[in-house]
Every structure is written in C-alpha cells, then in structure tokens.
Amino acid sequence: MTPCRVFVVITLAVFIIAAAATSATRAGEAPALGTARITQAMVAGGELSRAQMRREGRRIFATPFNLLDGLGDGPMDPNEPTAPGGRPTLQANGMFLRANGLDSQTCLECHSLLSNATIPATFAVGGAGGVATNAMAGPTTIDVDDSDGNGFAGFDGRFINPPFVFGAGGVELLAKEMTAELRALRATAESNPGTIVPLLSKGVDFGSIVFQTGIFDTDAVEGVASDLVVRPFGRKGEFATVRAFDVGAMQFHHGIQPTEVVGEGIDDDGDGVVDEILVGELSVLHIFGVTLERPREVRADAEARSGRTIFSAIGCADCHVPELRTTSRRLTVSFPEVDTDPSANVFASFDLSHAPARFKRVPGGGLRVPLFADLKRHDMGPALAETPAGELDAHFTTARLWGVADTAPYLHDGRASTLTEAILLHGGEAEASRNAFDGLDGANQDAVRAFLKTLRTPRTVRGR
C-alpha cells in the first residue's frame, strides 16, 4: 500500500500535512512513513473510518523507518549514554546499537510469527518473535568470553523475547476494568479510615489496603503497583495500555521520538528531524493493535481434556486463570491517557465482539477473554530473576498461555525451547505447581502437554 492510499477517499486536503514541514527530504527520497501524516484531529474527528484507521495503524506497524523519518538517535549524550536520544551507536551515522535498543527499523521485524509450530514458520503482522529478535535492554556489560568465570556470559540487563499482539484489546479492556474496580476500593478505604479493604477484582486477589493517619498503607497490596493500576503489557507489568507500550517502544527500539513525549516541532534527540511520530499516528497504531484477532482454543481430545483437569488440579490455573470476563464489550481509547482513570479523555471505542477480534459474548453484556492469566505480578524465583530490575528482579506478570502451542521459545527471554523446560524452570510462587508437574507420571505429563497444545494463535490474521 502506498503511503497516501488511504487518503484517496478524503476530500478535505486541509487534513494532509506535507512531510517537508516535519522532516528532512532529499531528491528522489522521502521518509518511509510517507508524505502525508495523520493528525489526532483526523482520528478523533471521525474523518477516518474504522477500517481506514486499522489500515493506517498496520502500515505504521510495518513501516521500516529511515533516517528521514528520524530513525536512530542524534549525537551521544555523555551524561545519559544509555537513555533514548543520546545513545552511542555501532555505526557513525547514529542508527543502530542493538545492545540497548536502536535494534530495528520496524515493529514487524520483531512481531511477525503467527506460528513457530509449522515448518516453515507461518508469518503474520502482529505475531511473536524468535530469539534472534530478542531485545537487550539496559546492559552496560556483556561478558562474552566469561572472563569472570561464572560459567555463563554475564549480562547486566534484560533479555526480552517479543510476544505477539493478538488479543491485546481484550487484555487492555480487562486491565482497565480491573483498575477502575481497584481504584474504587481504594476510595472505599479512604472513606473508612482504619478499615482493611480486600482488593478483589474479577476473582483475582490483589491483597488489601487500609487508609489510616492520613495515608494509604499498601504493605499488603500484592501483584500490582501501589497506585492499583493494572499494567498488563511488558513482562514486568510496566504499561497499562498498548499505546503506552508503543510510545516507549518507538523511542527505545527505533529512536523515533513521539510528539506527545517531546513536543511538536522539537528535535529532542538532535538528529535533525522533528515531529517524528504524531499523536494521531500513535492513535491509529494503538487502534490496530487492540483490534487484532484473538488466539483460539481448538477442539480437545480425551487426552487433552484430561490434561486440562490435571492442569487445574496441580495449581497451574491458580495464576494461569483460564478465563476472565469483562463487564463491557467496548474498549475505549484515550488521549492523553490517565492510568488511574481509564475513562478520561476517551475519543473512540470499539466493540471487541465484532470482527476481527471476535471475543465471545457473555450474558449481561461482557466478553469472555480466555487468556490463561490473572494480570498479576508473581515472584518466579531466583533462577528467572533479571538484573537490573530493582525490587521486581524476580517478578513477572503471569504469562498468558493462549497461543502457547505456536509460540516457542518460552519464558520472558526465550530460554526454554519446549513446554516441559518452561514448566520446570518455574520457581518462587509457582514452585509447588512445578514440583507437582514434575511428580506426575509420563502419561499425565503428556496429557498436560496435549492440553497446552490446544491453545493456538489465530487461524489467520487479516490485519485490515
């Protein structure tokens, strides 16, 4: 699709912004993002149909940015050499680094595998990534030859395997509803000083909170930040929405500076390009991500049905909750986003029971989200701990198991090439379930694996 194709149906030329006003050009060359830009006024004002917004979001997801788009950082900042905007690079032109971001030209480079269970692999926009696409976040030292004698190559950052985006709309809707419920419980605590208020949302126990002597005591809060915002995106639970993730990813992976972070007309990274990605462009990227198809569960035979029963009996389903239900069918999207108030600044909403997401409806107006997770952080033990990650070194949001049959390798860094390896590497809060699985006889372990292999990615991904 050419960059301007979607605008053929738009008759008001006032909405088209010339690329020359926002970035550098050269004879015969132009920014890969195109010579026409999408503003938030176009998105929020209804000038683009839902289909057009999805097409444009898909285009941005798959665009290989170049230097004229603002790809890469500008001059190195000796005061903050690991922060986006001032990182050193492997080449003199300031594009790529790989060991602390600046590792790709496009989202599609790392999110492209529909299934790794087929040979050859099946590809789709929005899929997972193999180990070769792992992000290396935050390292300052990589001991390649093990000069420290640890028995492994020491690495003081995070090694992150890219997950798929499928079903993200259902996850975001759940998280927003859970945040609203938890924040309401927080308000209840504030209205009843000294009363311990349990934090229960959609059957998930987040501990309790109490308001006394004018402050909130959050020592008993579990698996969520003290502000009670459920952040399901990022393995550590860093991002409340797909948009929040995208904003950080643009800066970290591509060196593309969002105007909503640095301001309009500001060359924050000193690379000679301003307005590298606009608010409206991030809005359509967000909309594309949250309206993608959901993973599916295929028909189970007798062995897989037995495996599902065993999966629950040994405690796996306590965290990998098979299904959570929303209250609403409509996911709202906002700008600017307010994490503590998901209802603020809404400019659009989408019924996720409609194609392409097609979440199944439940009585009362909500949706079934069969994600096999609880959107809660858990301590996974020292063997999986990351550095530097501060107090969350061993804590991860529960991995969503939907689609797991198609998405090897497993765990946050792809260290497990099989499901059995992934299970046996569980520790911390999951150690009892891990040991229970390890204690099963071969037939019952086979049954659990057969069940997990019924959890598949979408059959196809339209992307439009």
Side-chain angles (χ1 to χ4, degrees):
M1 183 178 70
T2 61
C4 296
R5 179 177 173 185
V6 69
F7 297 103
V8 172
V9 298
I10 299 175
T11 59
L12 298 179
V14 69
F15 292 116
I16 301 178
I17 301 175
T22 58
S23 61
T25 58
R26 298 172 183 161
E29 295 181 332
L33 198 54
T35 56
R37 307 295 295 273
I38 301 170
T39 68
Q40 182 65 10
M42 293 169 63
V43 179
E47 296 299 325
L48 300 176
S49 69
R50 170 181 164 137
Q52 289 169 339
M53 288 189 290
R54 293 196 76 250
R55 280 198 296 268
E56 286 302 288
R58 181 178 186 266
R59 180 178 66 84
I60 292 168
F61 190 97
T63 291
F65 301 112
N66 64 39
L67 282 174
L68 301 179
D69 293 290
L71 179 70
D73 287 353
M76 177 180 169
D77 182 352
N79 296 315
E80 291 189 277
T82 62
R87 292 165 288 187
T89 56
L90 293 172
Q91 303 96 352
N93 64 358
M95 280 202 299
F96 300 114
L97 176 58
R98 188 68 179 92
N100 189 29
L102 298 181
D103 48 26
S104 59
Q105 287 183 261
T106 170
C107 305
L108 185 60
E109 284 185 41
C110 299
H111 297 279
S112 59
L113 291 175
L114 178 65
S115 175
N116 221 7
T118 61
I119 299 176
T122 307
F123 296 92
V125 177
V131 171
T133 59
N134 274 23
M136 293 179 271
T140 56
T141 301
I142 304 176
D143 186 11
V144 175
D145 63 355
D146 188 24
S147 59
D148 289 340
N150 296 315
F152 58 90
F155 177 73
D156 66 349
R158 298 181 60 204
F159 199 43
I160 308 169
N161 186 238
F164 59 63
V165 191
F166 310 132
V171 175
E172 184 169 314
L173 178 55
L174 278 173
K176 286 180 172 177
E177 290 186 354
M178 294 170 85
T179 292
E181 291 172 1
L182 293 177
R183 295 288 297 182
L185 291 170
R186 181 182 185 273
T188 297
E190 188 172 15
S191 299
N192 297 273
T195 301
I196 297 174
V197 177
L199 296 173
L200 191 69
S201 179
K202 300 191 184 298
V204 179
D205 184 358
F206 291 96
S208 62
I209 193 171
V210 62
F211 184 76
Q212 53 190 358
T213 62
I215 61 172
F216 286 99
D217 182 349
T218 59
D219 287 349
V221 173
E222 300 174 0
V224 68
S226 60
D227 61 4
L228 305 186
V229 174
V230 177
R231 295 179 171 89
F233 302 108
R235 294 317 210 287
K236 298 291 185 183
E238 305 102 312
F239 306 101
T241 66
V242 169
R243 184 192 194 102
F245 182 91
D246 290 344
V247 166
M250 283 287 168
Q251 295 172 286
F252 180 80
H253 296 295
H254 314 312
I256 296 291
Q257 305 295 313
T259 59
E260 63 200 68
V261 175
V262 304
E264 293 184 1
I266 303 297
D267 182 12
D268 190 65
D269 57 357
D271 63 1
V273 183
V274 300
D275 300 340
E276 295 178 0
I277 188 161
L278 306 179
V279 171
E281 290 162 340
L282 275 164
S283 290
V284 294
L285 182 63
H286 183 191
I287 289 165
F288 170 70
V290 295
T291 54
L292 276 167
E293 289 83 347
R294 62 172 173 81
R296 61 199 166 98
E297 188 170 350
V298 301
R299 185 182 298 276
D301 60 16
E303 182 184 35
R305 291 195 297 271
S306 173
R308 184 172 187 139
T309 299
I310 297 167
F311 180 86
S312 294
I314 62 177
C316 299
D318 294 349
C319 298
H320 294 288
V321 180
E323 173 186 302
L324 296 177
R325 296 189 174 193
T326 68
T327 302
S328 173
R329 293 173 186 160
R330 300 195 72 86
L331 171 67
T332 59
V333 289
S334 304
F335 180 80
E337 295 185 319
V338 180
D339 284 357
T340 55
D341 184 6
S343 65
N345 306 317
V346 170
F347 64 84
S349 68
F350 300 88
D351 187 334
L352 296 181
S353 69
H354 293 170
R358 293 186 185 277
F359 283 94
K360 293 182 179 179
R361 300 182 180 189
V362 296
L367 300 171
R368 294 178 58 240
V369 185
L371 72 172
F372 286 86
D374 57 5
L375 304 189
K376 180 178 174 180
R377 294 179 185 143
H378 295 277
D379 183 348
M380 294 299 293
L384 295 181
E386 297 180 302
T387 56
E391 62 182 20
L392 296 179
D393 56 353
H395 288 74
F396 300 88
T397 54
T398 302
R400 300 187 277 277
L401 295 185
W402 58 359
V404 73
D406 292 298
T407 53
Y410 305 112
L411 299 178
H412 61 282
D413 54 5
R415 72 177 65 184
S417 61
T418 66
L419 289 167
T420 301
E421 289 175 80
I423 295 169
L424 295 180
L425 283 166
H426 281 52
E429 295 177 48
E431 188 167 2
S433 295
R434 176 258 183 225
N435 291 341
F437 174 83
D438 196 32
L440 296 173
D441 62 28
N444 284 328
Q445 287 193 0
D446 285 346
V448 172
R449 286 186 287 263
F451 157 62
L452 293 173
K453 289 179 181 178
T454 67
L455 307 180
R456 309 298 302 269
T457 52
R459 184 173 287 104
T460 58
V461 176
R462 293 191 312 171
R464 290 177 178 268

